[in-house]
């Protein structure tokens, strides 16, 4: 169900956190961090007194090169929920480690181009059929999740939502409502749980379908547009 900005403002007292995807949501089109988005997130954090959780399929070490992102984040949910990092305490939790090596060995045997992270494996969507067939024959607790142009192969039970809920629990806001920003398939599960779900203009149709609000601008400009409109 769509809601307007005035209706959003009526819900803000229940919001304890802002949760945002990285690629194509808080970035520019070239996937570099959007200065507009992160400045708007910082201002919203200060004015609303809320937490900020960045949730992404990327590995944690990717974000560690961006100090401006680390400084804003109260938590980073990386590898689609398999890794949760709390910058302020330097605490890091990993999930699915007992299956991670089996996941990696399975993919290595397929001899397809892949990115091996700490827990999950990311593969081009071009190899969708190969991966699906391999998983059918593997007696392992493994699942896959799609994210626009990639497939993430990971231990069963790993998801962005579970990672976000672990982060909220660690930050003392286990029952807190949150605003979620996203663009891809793996954001849908978070947006269904969010108090306020926001799709940026470039989001996939299935993401816009579950969103309460769709921005008029794409990428990080859309995140900034929404936050600036609610904290005036």
């Amino acid at each position: 169900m769509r809601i307007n900005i005035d209706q959003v403002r009526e819900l803000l007292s229940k919001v304890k956190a802002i949760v945002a995807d990285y690629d194509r949501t808080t970035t520019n089109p070239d996937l570099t961090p959007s200065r507009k988005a992160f400045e708007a997130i910082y201002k919203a954090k200060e004015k609303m007194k809320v937490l900020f959780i960045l949730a992404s399929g990327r590995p944690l070490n990717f974000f560690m090169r961006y100090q401006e992102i680390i400084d804003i984040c109260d938590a980073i949910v990386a590898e689609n929920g398999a890794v949760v990092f709390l910058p302020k305490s330097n605490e890091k939790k990993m999930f699915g480690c007992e299956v991670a090596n089996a996941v990696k060995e399975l993919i290595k045997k397929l001899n397809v181009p892949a990115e091996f992270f700490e827990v999950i494996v990311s593969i081009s969507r071009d190899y969708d059929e190969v991966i699906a067939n391999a998983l059918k024959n593997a007696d392992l607790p493994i699942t896959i999740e799609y994210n626009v142009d990639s497939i993430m192969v990971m231990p069963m039970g790993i998801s962005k939502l579970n990672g976000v809920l672990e982060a909220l629990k660690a930050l003392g806001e286990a029952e807190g409502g949150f605003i979620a920003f996203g663009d891809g398939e793996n954001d849908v599960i978070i947006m269904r749980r969010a108090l306020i779900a926001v799709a940026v203009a470039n989001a996939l149709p299935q993401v816009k379908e579950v969103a309460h609000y769709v921005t008029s601008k794409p990428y990080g400009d859309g995140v900034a547009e929404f936050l600036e409109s609610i904290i005036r």
Side-chain angles (χ1 to χ4, degrees), residues 20-31:
D21 174 46
Y22 179 72
D23 289 271
R24 295 170 292 271
T25 300
T26 51
T27 68
N28 300 308
D30 63 0
L31 303 186

Side-chain angles (χ1 to χ4, degrees), residues 200-221:
V200 286
N202 55 291
L204 296 177
Q206 56 267 51
V207 179
K208 292 179 179 178
E209 185 178 334
V210 300
H212 298 119
Y213 190 93
V214 178
T215 66
S216 63
K217 295 179 181 179
Y219 299 93
D221 286 354

Side-chain angles (χ1 to χ4, degrees), residues 25-154:
T25 300
T26 51
T27 68
N28 300 308
D30 63 0
L31 303 186
T32 56
S34 165
R35 183 175 177 179
K36 285 185 179 179
F38 285 103
E39 284 183 351
I41 289 167
Y42 176 79
K43 290 176 183 176
K45 275 191 63 176
E46 293 296 300
K47 187 158 187 177
M48 296 168 61
K49 306 301 180 187
V50 297
L51 302 166
F52 174 56
I53 299 171
L54 185 64
S56 173
R58 287 189 182 262
L60 180 60
N61 62 10
F62 171 84
F63 296 107
M64 300 306 287
R65 73 184 76 171
Y66 293 111
Q67 191 60 46
E68 67 271 28
I69 292 178
I70 299 296
D71 289 343
I72 294 174
C73 292
D74 293 286
I76 296 175
V77 174
E79 296 196 31
N80 208 56
V83 178
V84 175
F85 176 64
L86 308 181
K88 291 178 175 59
S89 62
N90 205 37
E91 181 182 357
K92 178 181 173 183
K93 294 183 179 180
M94 294 172 59
F95 305 92
C97 296
E98 62 280 1
V99 186
N101 286 337
V103 172
K104 293 173 183 177
E105 287 303 314
L106 174 66
I107 301 306
K108 285 176 182 177
K109 289 177 182 177
L110 298 178
N111 197 30
V112 297
E115 291 183 276
F116 295 90
F117 302 153
E118 290 187 274
V119 178
I120 76 168
V121 181
S122 179
I123 302 166
S124 168
R125 204 158 181 163
D126 294 337
Y127 298 94
D128 187 4
E129 188 174 344
V130 175
I131 299 302
N133 289 335
L135 292 183
K136 283 180 184 177
N137 300 319
D139 185 22
L140 293 168
I142 297 174
T143 188
I144 63 173
E145 183 137 27
Y146 295 98
N147 182 24
V148 187
D149 56 0
S150 64
I151 305 168
M152 289 172 287
V153 186
M154 53 201 175

Side-chain angles (χ1 to χ4, degrees), residues 170-192:
L171 294 167
E173 291 293 354
E175 304 301 320
F178 59 86
I179 299 172
F181 292 93
D183 77 289
E185 294 103 321
N186 62 334
D187 296 317
V188 170
I189 189 172
I190 295 180
M191 297 179 80
R192 289 187 186 279

